[in-house]
Amino acid sequence: AQTVTQSQPEMSVQEAETVTLSCTYDTSESDYYLFWYKQPPSRQMILVIRQEAYKQQNATENRFSVNFQKAAKSFSLKISDSQLGDAAMYFCAYRRRGGADGLTFGKGTHLIIQP
Amino acid sequence: NAGVTQTPKFQVLKTGQSMTLQCAQDMNHEYMSWYRQDPGMGLRLIHYSVGAGITDQGEVPNGYNVSRSTTEDFPLRLLSAAPSQTSVYFCASSPLGGEYIFSGELFFGEGSRLTVL
């Protein structure tokens, strides 16, 4: 079974600074997707960024980028120029291609932005 | 532009009562699923469906029933609620087939907070 581990229950960063959230996963599959979801206090699950395992290039979305290390099974999220609106729970998630069993989530990292 | 709609958003039950959480999506997605979210536990899969008439269990299925009679709807039933089922429940859907439409992403409803006393 796949597992996803987020080792940082809580992180704090000053506004405008850069922060990196860690995620490791375990799978025997070679073709899969990785995601970072954001959950603000409204509890809506918002997709931040996705990475396809067969793509070596790291995904980027504006201020959000990932460091995908397939061999190490590591998938960290970097948030540049942190903004107050980035404060939320962040979940790392895995899904194998064609995965009818859905996403496997980590336990989340609570990100605090200090003004 | 509705996406995934869950009702109700909040519900309080007494132990032993039954209820149904409704989920509907208007994106013609084959795949639908239910997750529960508990503090410090992330989201865990309860049940999922890959199409009308097809359902299967996820990681934490005990105490919950599902059915899928249409592509659009995927209700979650609690037959005899227990305090351990106090949680936030999310319904999520995605397409399944075809390289050009399968991005892996799940589309989530806004969640339903259930309290069992």
Side-chain angles (χ1 to χ4, degrees):
Chain A
Q2 300 86 6
T3 58
V4 176
T5 302
Q6 294 179 248
S7 59
Q8 306 152 315
E10 186 171 280
M11 293 281 286
S12 181
V13 63
Q14 291 290 128
E15 194 175 2
E17 296 293 307
T18 296
V19 63
T20 299
L21 308 185
S22 301
C23 173
T24 59
Y25 60 95
D26 189 24
T27 182
S28 58
E29 303 284 339
S30 61
D31 197 4
Y32 49 86
Y33 302 91
L34 295 164
F35 306 87
W36 279 98
Y37 278 87
K38 171 185 178 181
Q39 187 181 43
S42 67
R43 81 174 180 231
Q44 180 69 41
M45 294 292 288
I46 302 166
L47 179 66
V48 174
I49 199 165
R50 60 186 286 273
Q51 175 79 42
E52 299 176 41
Y54 68 87
K55 291 185 177 178
Q56 293 190 354
Q57 186 174 4
N58 289 325
T60 62
E61 289 286 343
N62 300 313
R63 297 183 294 107
F64 299 87
S65 62
V66 298
N67 183 5
F68 173 49
Q69 302 289 329
K70 190 173 184 179
K73 296 180 181 176
S74 171
F75 183 62
S76 61
L77 174 70
K78 186 172 80 171
I79 305 174
S80 303
D81 186 25
S82 298
Q83 300 176 1
L84 294 177
D86 296 333
M89 283 292 293
Y90 286 82
F91 293 96
C92 179
Y94 162 99
R95 189 179 192 185
R96 64 181 176 88
R97 180 176 288 274
D101 48 354
L103 291 172
T104 300
F105 285 88
K107 294 184 178 181
T109 296
H110 182 211
L111 179 63
I112 299 167
I113 310 295
Q114 303 281 4
Chain B
N1 206 20
V4 179
T5 302
Q6 289 182 232
T7 56
K9 289 186 170 44
F10 300 92
Q11 183 72 48
V12 179
L13 289 177
K14 294 181 180 178
T15 297
Q17 287 185 318
S18 63
M19 78 156 297
T20 300
L21 296 175
Q22 302 289 347
C23 177
Q25 53 92 8
D26 60 359
M27 298 173 282
N28 202 32
H29 288 167
E30 300 97 329
Y31 180 85
M32 295 186 74
S33 56
W34 279 100
Y35 289 81
R36 61 176 290 171
Q37 182 180 18
D38 303 295
M41 296 296 295
L43 281 77
R44 293 179 293 168
L45 182 64
I46 304 171
H47 285 286
Y48 64 93
S49 168
V50 297
I54 307 170
T55 63
D56 207 343
Q57 297 180 351
E59 180 185 355
V60 289
N62 293 340
Y64 307 95
N65 284 346
V66 293
S67 60
R68 183 99 178 267
S69 57
T70 67
T71 299
E72 294 79 18
D73 300 300
F74 190 47
L76 178 71
R77 297 182 186 84
L78 288 71
L79 298 180
S80 179
S84 61
Q85 293 177 304
T86 294
S87 188
V88 177
Y89 292 85
F90 286 93
C91 180
S93 71
S94 80
L96 266 183
E99 277 300 318
Y100 70 100
I101 58 172
F102 184 72
S103 68
E105 175 188 359
L106 282 183
F107 297 82
F108 284 85
E110 294 182 346
S112 300
R113 179 177 293 278
L114 175 66
T115 301
V116 183
L117 303 175

mmCIF file of all heavy atoms in Angstrom, chain A residues 60-108:
data_model
loop_
_atom_site.group_PDB
_atom_site.id
_atom_site.type_symbol
_atom_site.label_atom_id
_atom_site.label_comp_id
_atom_site.label_asym_id
_atom_site.label_seq_id
_atom_site.Cartn_x
_atom_site.Cartn_y
_atom_site.Cartn_z
ATOM 1 N N THR A 60 5.775 24.039 -11.796
ATOM 2 C CA THR A 60 5.713 25.364 -11.182
ATOM 3 C C THR A 60 4.367 25.984 -11.500
ATOM 4 O O THR A 60 3.800 25.758 -12.574
ATOM 5 C CB THR A 60 6.823 26.299 -11.684
ATOM 6 O OG1 THR A 60 6.646 26.491 -13.092
ATOM 7 C CG2 THR A 60 8.202 25.715 -11.430
ATOM 8 N N GLU A 61 3.848 26.743 -10.537
ATOM 9 C CA GLU A 61 2.620 27.508 -10.704
ATOM 10 C C GLU A 61 2.817 28.828 -9.982
ATOM 11 O O GLU A 61 2.626 28.917 -8.774
ATOM 12 C CB GLU A 61 1.418 26.755 -10.118
ATOM 13 C CG GLU A 61 0.976 25.548 -10.891
ATOM 14 C CD GLU A 61 0.246 25.892 -12.192
ATOM 15 O OE1 GLU A 61 -0.197 27.058 -12.349
ATOM 16 O OE2 GLU A 61 0.124 25.001 -13.044
ATOM 17 N N ASN A 62 3.209 29.829 -10.732
ATOM 18 C CA ASN A 62 3.427 31.167 -10.150
ATOM 19 C C ASN A 62 4.432 31.082 -8.997
ATOM 20 O O ASN A 62 5.586 30.731 -9.215
ATOM 21 C CB ASN A 62 2.088 31.761 -9.712
ATOM 22 C CG ASN A 62 1.134 31.896 -10.876
ATOM 23 O OD1 ASN A 62 1.502 32.381 -11.945
ATOM 24 N ND2 ASN A 62 -0.103 31.457 -10.683
ATOM 25 N N ARG A 63 4.018 31.377 -7.772
ATOM 26 C CA ARG A 63 4.942 31.393 -6.634
ATOM 27 C C ARG A 63 5.187 30.006 -6.047
ATOM 28 O O ARG A 63 5.991 29.863 -5.107
ATOM 29 C CB ARG A 63 4.376 32.315 -5.544
ATOM 30 C CG ARG A 63 4.236 33.776 -5.932
ATOM 31 C CD ARG A 63 3.742 34.621 -4.771
ATOM 32 N NE ARG A 63 2.369 34.276 -4.371
ATOM 33 C CZ ARG A 63 2.060 33.612 -3.268
ATOM 34 N NH1 ARG A 63 3.012 33.226 -2.432
ATOM 35 N NH2 ARG A 63 0.796 33.353 -2.980
ATOM 36 N N PHE A 64 4.517 29.014 -6.577
ATOM 37 C CA PHE A 64 4.612 27.654 -6.042
ATOM 38 C C PHE A 64 5.425 26.791 -6.991
ATOM 39 O O PHE A 64 5.195 26.782 -8.202
ATOM 40 C CB PHE A 64 3.212 27.059 -5.875
ATOM 41 C CG PHE A 64 2.338 27.815 -4.916
ATOM 42 C CD1 PHE A 64 1.572 28.886 -5.348
ATOM 43 C CD2 PHE A 64 2.278 27.455 -3.581
ATOM 44 C CE1 PHE A 64 0.768 29.582 -4.456
ATOM 45 C CE2 PHE A 64 1.475 28.133 -2.687
ATOM 46 C CZ PHE A 64 0.720 29.202 -3.128
ATOM 47 N N SER A 65 6.351 26.050 -6.429
ATOM 48 C CA SER A 65 7.130 25.117 -7.231
ATOM 49 C C SER A 65 7.419 23.878 -6.391
ATOM 50 O O SER A 65 7.313 23.897 -5.162
ATOM 51 C CB SER A 65 8.435 25.759 -7.702
ATOM 52 O OG SER A 65 9.238 26.121 -6.593
ATOM 53 N N VAL A 66 7.764 22.796 -7.082
ATOM 54 C CA VAL A 66 8.073 21.564 -6.372
ATOM 55 C C VAL A 66 9.481 21.121 -6.702
ATOM 56 O O VAL A 66 10.047 21.488 -7.725
ATOM 57 C CB VAL A 66 7.067 20.437 -6.725
ATOM 58 C CG1 VAL A 66 5.658 20.825 -6.309
ATOM 59 C CG2 VAL A 66 7.144 20.068 -8.197
ATOM 60 N N ASN A 67 10.024 20.327 -5.789
ATOM 61 C CA ASN A 67 11.281 19.636 -6.012
ATOM 62 C C ASN A 67 10.952 18.151 -5.966
ATOM 63 O O ASN A 67 10.765 17.581 -4.891
ATOM 64 C CB ASN A 67 12.304 20.005 -4.955
ATOM 65 C CG ASN A 67 13.654 19.342 -5.220
ATOM 66 O OD1 ASN A 67 13.860 18.686 -6.248
ATOM 67 N ND2 ASN A 67 14.585 19.511 -4.305
ATOM 68 N N PHE A 68 10.850 17.541 -7.138
ATOM 69 C CA PHE A 68 10.450 16.153 -7.268
ATOM 70 C C PHE A 68 11.697 15.300 -7.461
ATOM 71 O O PHE A 68 12.413 15.458 -8.453
ATOM 72 C CB PHE A 68 9.496 15.995 -8.449
ATOM 73 C CG PHE A 68 9.145 14.581 -8.788
ATOM 74 C CD1 PHE A 68 8.735 13.688 -7.808
ATOM 75 C CD2 PHE A 68 9.201 14.129 -10.104
ATOM 76 C CE1 PHE A 68 8.401 12.382 -8.133
ATOM 77 C CE2 PHE A 68 8.869 12.833 -10.438
ATOM 78 C CZ PHE A 68 8.467 11.957 -9.454
ATOM 79 N N GLN A 69 11.965 14.439 -6.511
ATOM 80 C CA GLN A 69 13.092 13.528 -6.569
ATOM 81 C C GLN A 69 12.535 12.105 -6.589
ATOM 82 O O GLN A 69 12.255 11.528 -5.529
ATOM 83 C CB GLN A 69 14.003 13.736 -5.352
ATOM 84 C CG GLN A 69 14.551 15.135 -5.198
ATOM 85 C CD GLN A 69 15.587 15.443 -6.253
ATOM 86 O OE1 GLN A 69 16.303 14.568 -6.724
ATOM 87 N NE2 GLN A 69 15.659 16.716 -6.629
ATOM 88 N N LYS A 70 12.364 11.558 -7.796
ATOM 89 C CA LYS A 70 11.679 10.270 -7.928
ATOM 90 C C LYS A 70 12.424 9.143 -7.235
ATOM 91 O O LYS A 70 11.826 8.309 -6.563
ATOM 92 C CB LYS A 70 11.450 9.931 -9.406
ATOM 93 C CG LYS A 70 10.533 8.735 -9.621
ATOM 94 C CD LYS A 70 10.194 8.547 -11.080
ATOM 95 C CE LYS A 70 9.192 7.407 -11.262
ATOM 96 N NZ LYS A 70 8.830 7.219 -12.705
ATOM 97 N N ALA A 71 13.727 9.090 -7.401
ATOM 98 C CA ALA A 71 14.499 8.004 -6.802
ATOM 99 C C ALA A 71 14.425 8.053 -5.277
ATOM 100 O O ALA A 71 14.346 7.013 -4.607
ATOM 101 C CB ALA A 71 15.950 8.069 -7.257
ATOM 102 N N ALA A 72 14.424 9.244 -4.738
ATOM 103 C CA ALA A 72 14.353 9.408 -3.284
ATOM 104 C C ALA A 72 12.923 9.399 -2.781
ATOM 105 O O ALA A 72 12.694 9.398 -1.568
ATOM 106 C CB ALA A 72 15.034 10.712 -2.878
ATOM 107 N N LYS A 73 11.954 9.396 -3.691
ATOM 108 C CA LYS A 73 10.530 9.442 -3.354
ATOM 109 C C LYS A 73 10.244 10.626 -2.448
ATOM 110 O O LYS A 73 9.650 10.508 -1.362
ATOM 111 C CB LYS A 73 10.088 8.123 -2.734
ATOM 112 C CG LYS A 73 10.199 6.961 -3.717
ATOM 113 C CD LYS A 73 9.761 5.643 -3.132
ATOM 114 C CE LYS A 73 9.921 4.531 -4.178
ATOM 115 N NZ LYS A 73 9.606 3.200 -3.628
ATOM 116 N N SER A 74 10.664 11.773 -2.947
ATOM 117 C CA SER A 74 10.504 13.022 -2.216
ATOM 118 C C SER A 74 9.807 14.040 -3.095
ATOM 119 O O SER A 74 10.077 14.122 -4.317
ATOM 120 C CB SER A 74 11.882 13.529 -1.797
ATOM 121 O OG SER A 74 11.802 14.820 -1.263
ATOM 122 N N PHE A 75 8.940 14.847 -2.498
ATOM 123 C CA PHE A 75 8.126 15.799 -3.279
ATOM 124 C C PHE A 75 7.860 17.010 -2.410
ATOM 125 O O PHE A 75 6.829 17.129 -1.767
ATOM 126 C CB PHE A 75 6.829 15.104 -3.687
ATOM 127 C CG PHE A 75 5.917 15.920 -4.548
ATOM 128 C CD1 PHE A 75 6.323 16.359 -5.799
ATOM 129 C CD2 PHE A 75 4.631 16.227 -4.133
ATOM 130 C CE1 PHE A 75 5.483 17.106 -6.616
ATOM 131 C CE2 PHE A 75 3.774 16.969 -4.933
ATOM 132 C CZ PHE A 75 4.204 17.406 -6.172
ATOM 133 N N SER A 76 8.768 17.955 -2.370
ATOM 134 C CA SER A 76 8.618 19.112 -1.505
ATOM 135 C C SER A 76 7.995 20.277 -2.266
ATOM 136 O O SER A 76 8.143 20.401 -3.483
ATOM 137 C CB SER A 76 9.967 19.519 -0.910
ATOM 138 O OG SER A 76 10.877 19.859 -1.942
ATOM 139 N N LEU A 77 7.324 21.128 -1.534
ATOM 140 C CA LEU A 77 6.661 22.316 -2.092
ATOM 141 C C LEU A 77 7.367 23.564 -1.598
ATOM 142 O O LEU A 77 7.543 23.740 -0.383
ATOM 143 C CB LEU A 77 5.190 22.366 -1.651
ATOM 144 C CG LEU A 77 4.410 23.621 -2.031
ATOM 145 C CD1 LEU A 77 4.160 23.653 -3.547
ATOM 146 C CD2 LEU A 77 3.078 23.677 -1.285
ATOM 147 N N LYS A 78 7.767 24.410 -2.522
ATOM 148 C CA LYS A 78 8.371 25.676 -2.174
ATOM 149 C C LYS A 78 7.408 26.804 -2.482
ATOM 150 O O LYS A 78 6.873 26.897 -3.590
ATOM 151 C CB LYS A 78 9.678 25.888 -2.929
ATOM 152 C CG LYS A 78 10.426 27.143 -2.480
ATOM 153 C CD LYS A 78 11.820 27.252 -3.091
ATOM 154 C CE LYS A 78 11.757 27.779 -4.483
ATOM 155 N NZ LYS A 78 13.126 28.088 -5.008
ATOM 156 N N ILE A 79 7.179 27.645 -1.493
ATOM 157 C CA ILE A 79 6.327 28.821 -1.673
ATOM 158 C C ILE A 79 7.227 30.042 -1.559
ATOM 159 O O ILE A 79 7.850 30.286 -0.516
ATOM 160 C CB ILE A 79 5.213 28.890 -0.609
ATOM 161 C CG1 ILE A 79 4.409 27.589 -0.606
ATOM 162 C CG2 ILE A 79 4.305 30.085 -0.869
ATOM 163 C CD1 ILE A 79 3.388 27.507 0.519
ATOM 164 N N SER A 80 7.310 30.792 -2.629
ATOM 165 C CA SER A 80 8.138 32.000 -2.660
ATOM 166 C C SER A 80 7.272 33.215 -2.373
ATOM 167 O O SER A 80 6.071 33.219 -2.651
ATOM 168 C CB SER A 80 8.782 32.158 -4.036
ATOM 169 O OG SER A 80 9.549 31.020 -4.370
ATOM 170 N N ASP A 81 7.924 34.265 -1.789
ATOM 171 C CA ASP A 81 7.212 35.509 -1.523
ATOM 172 C C ASP A 81 5.899 35.226 -0.789
ATOM 173 O O ASP A 81 4.803 35.589 -1.241
ATOM 174 C CB ASP A 81 6.944 36.245 -2.838
ATOM 175 C CG ASP A 81 6.324 37.614 -2.640
ATOM 176 O OD1 ASP A 81 6.514 38.209 -1.554
ATOM 177 O OD2 ASP A 81 5.613 38.069 -3.553
ATOM 178 N N SER A 82 5.992 34.575 0.348
ATOM 179 C CA SER A 82 4.800 34.147 1.089
ATOM 180 C C SER A 82 3.863 35.313 1.365
ATOM 181 O O SER A 82 4.296 36.423 1.707
ATOM 182 C CB SER A 82 5.219 33.510 2.424
ATOM 183 O OG SER A 82 6.002 32.371 2.203
ATOM 184 N N GLN A 83 2.577 35.027 1.225
ATOM 185 C CA GLN A 83 1.543 36.028 1.454
ATOM 186 C C GLN A 83 0.597 35.550 2.555
ATOM 187 O O GLN A 83 0.477 34.344 2.802
ATOM 188 C CB GLN A 83 0.782 36.282 0.150
ATOM 189 C CG GLN A 83 1.671 36.781 -0.966
ATOM 190 C CD GLN A 83 0.940 36.937 -2.286
ATOM 191 O OE1 GLN A 83 -0.260 36.689 -2.390
ATOM 192 N NE2 GLN A 83 1.674 37.353 -3.309
ATOM 193 N N LEU A 84 -0.083 36.512 3.177
ATOM 194 C CA LEU A 84 -0.975 36.149 4.281
ATOM 195 C C LEU A 84 -2.028 35.136 3.826
ATOM 196 O O LEU A 84 -2.447 34.275 4.595
ATOM 197 C CB LEU A 84 -1.644 37.408 4.847
ATOM 198 C CG LEU A 84 -0.704 38.401 5.545
ATOM 199 C CD1 LEU A 84 -1.475 39.628 6.004
ATOM 200 C CD2 LEU A 84 0.011 37.748 6.721
ATOM 201 N N GLY A 85 -2.436 35.246 2.582
ATOM 202 C CA GLY A 85 -3.437 34.321 2.042
ATOM 203 C C GLY A 85 -2.934 32.905 1.847
ATOM 204 O O GLY A 85 -3.734 32.003 1.578
ATOM 205 N N ASP A 86 -1.636 32.703 2.019
ATOM 206 C CA ASP A 86 -1.090 31.344 1.906
ATOM 207 C C ASP A 86 -1.278 30.550 3.190
ATOM 208 O O ASP A 86 -1.059 29.339 3.206
ATOM 209 C CB ASP A 86 0.406 31.398 1.575
ATOM 210 C CG ASP A 86 0.691 32.015 0.225
ATOM 211 O OD1 ASP A 86 -0.188 31.941 -0.664
ATOM 212 O OD2 ASP A 86 1.790 32.574 0.039
ATOM 213 N N ALA A 87 -1.668 31.205 4.246
ATOM 214 C CA ALA A 87 -1.880 30.514 5.519
ATOM 215 C C ALA A 87 -2.991 29.476 5.362
ATOM 216 O O ALA A 87 -4.102 29.799 4.942
ATOM 217 C CB ALA A 87 -2.249 31.505 6.608
ATOM 218 N N ALA A 88 -2.668 28.227 5.683
ATOM 219 C CA ALA A 88 -3.617 27.126 5.467
ATOM 220 C C ALA A 88 -2.974 25.821 5.897
ATOM 221 O O ALA A 88 -1.794 25.771 6.247
ATOM 222 C CB ALA A 88 -4.006 27.036 3.986
ATOM 223 N N MET A 89 -3.762 24.757 5.834
ATOM 224 C CA MET A 89 -3.219 23.399 5.910
ATOM 225 C C MET A 89 -2.837 22.987 4.497
ATOM 226 O O MET A 89 -3.580 23.252 3.544
ATOM 227 C CB MET A 89 -4.258 22.423 6.448
ATOM 228 C CG MET A 89 -4.484 22.490 7.937
ATOM 229 S SD MET A 89 -3.068 21.913 8.882
ATOM 230 C CE MET A 89 -3.054 20.174 8.476
ATOM 231 N N TYR A 90 -1.691 22.343 4.366
ATOM 232 C CA TYR A 90 -1.236 21.851 3.072
ATOM 233 C C TYR A 90 -1.087 20.332 3.141
ATOM 234 O O TYR A 90 -0.431 19.803 4.037
ATOM 235 C CB TYR A 90 0.098 22.505 2.683
ATOM 236 C CG TYR A 90 -0.065 23.936 2.249
ATOM 237 C CD1 TYR A 90 -0.153 24.962 3.187
ATOM 238 C CD2 TYR A 90 -0.153 24.268 0.898
ATOM 239 C CE1 TYR A 90 -0.319 26.277 2.801
ATOM 240 C CE2 TYR A 90 -0.324 25.578 0.494
ATOM 241 C CZ TYR A 90 -0.401 26.579 1.446
ATOM 242 O OH TYR A 90 -0.575 27.878 1.052
ATOM 243 N N PHE A 91 -1.711 19.692 2.180
ATOM 244 C CA PHE A 91 -1.674 18.239 2.127
ATOM 245 C C PHE A 91 -0.949 17.780 0.873
ATOM 246 O O PHE A 91 -1.256 18.223 -0.237
ATOM 247 C CB PHE A 91 -3.089 17.662 2.117
ATOM 248 C CG PHE A 91 -3.845 17.869 3.393
ATOM 249 C CD1 PHE A 91 -4.718 18.929 3.530
ATOM 250 C CD2 PHE A 91 -3.667 17.010 4.463
ATOM 251 C CE1 PHE A 91 -5.418 19.124 4.714
ATOM 252 C CE2 PHE A 91 -4.355 17.186 5.648
ATOM 253 C CZ PHE A 91 -5.232 18.255 5.773
ATOM 254 N N CYS A 92 -0.034 16.864 1.075
ATOM 255 C CA CYS A 92 0.618 16.173 -0.023
ATOM 256 C C CYS A 92 -0.201 14.922 -0.321
ATOM 257 O O CYS A 92 -0.717 14.265 0.606
ATOM 258 C CB CYS A 92 2.036 15.805 0.397
ATOM 259 S SG CYS A 92 2.998 14.905 -0.822
ATOM 260 N N ALA A 93 -0.344 14.580 -1.598
ATOM 261 C CA ALA A 93 -1.172 13.425 -1.942
ATOM 262 C C ALA A 93 -0.595 12.689 -3.140
ATOM 263 O O ALA A 93 0.059 13.284 -4.002
ATOM 264 C CB ALA A 93 -2.602 13.859 -2.240
ATOM 265 N N TYR A 94 -0.856 11.401 -3.179
ATOM 266 C CA TYR A 94 -0.354 10.506 -4.225
ATOM 267 C C TYR A 94 -1.543 9.821 -4.889
ATOM 268 O O TYR A 94 -2.538 9.482 -4.238
ATOM 269 C CB TYR A 94 0.551 9.462 -3.571
ATOM 270 C CG TYR A 94 0.823 8.229 -4.393
ATOM 271 C CD1 TYR A 94 2.005 8.093 -5.111
ATOM 272 C CD2 TYR A 94 -0.105 7.181 -4.458
ATOM 273 C CE1 TYR A 94 2.256 6.958 -5.865
ATOM 274 C CE2 TYR A 94 0.144 6.055 -5.211
ATOM 275 C CZ TYR A 94 1.325 5.948 -5.904
ATOM 276 O OH TYR A 94 1.567 4.822 -6.657
ATOM 277 N N ARG A 95 -1.418 9.586 -6.196
ATOM 278 C CA ARG A 95 -2.415 8.776 -6.890
ATOM 279 C C ARG A 95 -1.736 8.046 -8.024
ATOM 280 O O ARG A 95 -1.073 8.677 -8.849
ATOM 281 C CB ARG A 95 -3.550 9.641 -7.443
ATOM 282 C CG ARG A 95 -4.722 8.819 -7.996
ATOM 283 C CD ARG A 95 -5.833 9.687 -8.521
ATOM 284 N NE ARG A 95 -7.053 8.917 -8.776
ATOM 285 C CZ ARG A 95 -8.145 9.422 -9.339
ATOM 286 N NH1 ARG A 95 -8.189 10.694 -9.699
ATOM 287 N NH2 ARG A 95 -9.201 8.659 -9.536
ATOM 288 N N ARG A 96 -1.898 6.761 -8.094
ATOM 289 C CA ARG A 96 -1.303 6.020 -9.205
ATOM 290 C C ARG A 96 -2.126 6.268 -10.459
ATOM 291 O O ARG A 96 -3.319 6.539 -10.392
ATOM 292 C CB ARG A 96 -1.215 4.528 -8.883
ATOM 293 C CG ARG A 96 -2.541 3.826 -8.702
ATOM 294 C CD ARG A 96 -2.329 2.347 -8.370
ATOM 295 N NE ARG A 96 -3.595 1.682 -8.107
ATOM 296 C CZ ARG A 96 -4.349 1.114 -9.044
ATOM 297 N NH1 ARG A 96 -3.968 1.140 -10.304
ATOM 298 N NH2 ARG A 96 -5.483 0.525 -8.723
ATOM 299 N N ARG A 97 -1.489 6.179 -11.596
ATOM 300 C CA ARG A 97 -2.199 6.414 -12.847
ATOM 301 C C ARG A 97 -3.326 5.398 -12.990
ATOM 302 O O ARG A 97 -3.115 4.207 -12.773
ATOM 303 C CB ARG A 97 -1.252 6.310 -14.043
ATOM 304 C CG ARG A 97 -1.942 6.553 -15.385
ATOM 305 C CD ARG A 97 -0.947 6.534 -16.507
ATOM 306 N NE ARG A 97 -0.102 7.716 -16.494
ATOM 307 C CZ ARG A 97 -0.426 8.869 -17.064
ATOM 308 N NH1 ARG A 97 -1.584 9.000 -17.673
ATOM 309 N NH2 ARG A 97 0.401 9.894 -17.017
ATOM 310 N N GLY A 98 -4.498 5.898 -13.335
ATOM 311 C CA GLY A 98 -5.663 5.027 -13.440
ATOM 312 C C GLY A 98 -6.147 4.567 -12.091
ATOM 313 O O GLY A 98 -6.933 3.636 -11.988
ATOM 314 N N GLY A 99 -5.714 5.270 -11.042
ATOM 315 C CA GLY A 99 -5.996 4.816 -9.691
ATOM 316 C C GLY A 99 -7.455 4.942 -9.310
ATOM 317 O O GLY A 99 -7.899 6.034 -8.932
ATOM 318 N N ALA A 100 -8.174 3.856 -9.359
ATOM 319 C CA ALA A 100 -9.563 3.896 -8.950
ATOM 320 C C ALA A 100 -9.687 4.003 -7.437
ATOM 321 O O ALA A 100 -10.761 4.314 -6.943
ATOM 322 C CB ALA A 100 -10.290 2.648 -9.449
ATOM 323 N N ASP A 101 -8.624 3.763 -6.731
ATOM 324 C CA ASP A 101 -8.677 3.881 -5.273
ATOM 325 C C ASP A 101 -8.327 5.282 -4.801
ATOM 326 O O ASP A 101 -8.067 5.495 -3.616
ATOM 327 C CB ASP A 101 -7.768 2.847 -4.621
ATOM 328 C CG ASP A 101 -6.383 2.815 -5.246
ATOM 329 O OD1 ASP A 101 -6.170 3.514 -6.251
ATOM 330 O OD2 ASP A 101 -5.528 2.083 -4.728
ATOM 331 N N GLY A 102 -8.304 6.253 -5.716
ATOM 332 C CA GLY A 102 -8.238 7.654 -5.330
ATOM 333 C C GLY A 102 -6.892 8.115 -4.808
ATOM 334 O O GLY A 102 -5.847 7.578 -5.156
ATOM 335 N N LEU A 103 -6.936 9.145 -3.995
ATOM 336 C CA LEU A 103 -5.731 9.765 -3.465
ATOM 337 C C LEU A 103 -5.374 9.187 -2.104
ATOM 338 O O LEU A 103 -6.242 8.913 -1.287
ATOM 339 C CB LEU A 103 -5.946 11.271 -3.304
ATOM 340 C CG LEU A 103 -6.085 12.109 -4.574
ATOM 341 C CD1 LEU A 103 -6.477 13.527 -4.205
ATOM 342 C CD2 LEU A 103 -4.815 12.102 -5.366
ATOM 343 N N THR A 104 -4.077 9.067 -1.871
ATOM 344 C CA THR A 104 -3.555 8.799 -0.531
ATOM 345 C C THR A 104 -2.941 10.088 -0.030
ATOM 346 O O THR A 104 -2.059 10.657 -0.696
ATOM 347 C CB THR A 104 -2.502 7.678 -0.553
ATOM 348 O OG1 THR A 104 -3.108 6.479 -1.055
ATOM 349 C CG2 THR A 104 -1.971 7.433 0.846
ATOM 350 N N PHE A 105 -3.395 10.556 1.132
ATOM 351 C CA PHE A 105 -2.971 11.843 1.662
ATOM 352 C C PHE A 105 -1.970 11.683 2.788
ATOM 353 O O PHE A 105 -2.013 10.706 3.555
ATOM 354 C CB PHE A 105 -4.171 12.606 2.228
ATOM 355 C CG PHE A 105 -5.069 13.194 1.192
ATOM 356 C CD1 PHE A 105 -6.108 12.458 0.656
ATOM 357 C CD2 PHE A 105 -4.895 14.495 0.759
ATOM 358 C CE1 PHE A 105 -6.944 12.996 -0.300
ATOM 359 C CE2 PHE A 105 -5.731 15.057 -0.191
ATOM 360 C CZ PHE A 105 -6.756 14.305 -0.721
ATOM 361 N N GLY A 106 -1.103 12.689 2.927
ATOM 362 C CA GLY A 106 -0.348 12.835 4.140
ATOM 363 C C GLY A 106 -1.217 13.488 5.211
ATOM 364 O O GLY A 106 -2.363 13.863 4.952
ATOM 365 N N LYS A 107 -0.647 13.637 6.406
ATOM 366 C CA LYS A 107 -1.446 14.151 7.516
ATOM 367 C C LYS A 107 -1.514 15.670 7.536
ATOM 368 O O LYS A 107 -2.248 16.237 8.350
ATOM 369 C CB LYS A 107 -0.908 13.622 8.843
ATOM 370 C CG LYS A 107 -1.073 12.115 8.970
ATOM 371 C CD LYS A 107 -0.614 11.613 10.330
ATOM 372 C CE LYS A 107 -0.846 10.100 10.415
ATOM 373 N NZ LYS A 107 -0.451 9.551 11.731
ATOM 374 N N GLY A 108 -0.762 16.321 6.676
ATOM 375 C CA GLY A 108 -0.874 17.759 6.544
ATOM 376 C C GLY A 108 0.179 18.543 7.306
ATOM 377 O O GLY A 108 0.734 18.082 8.302
#
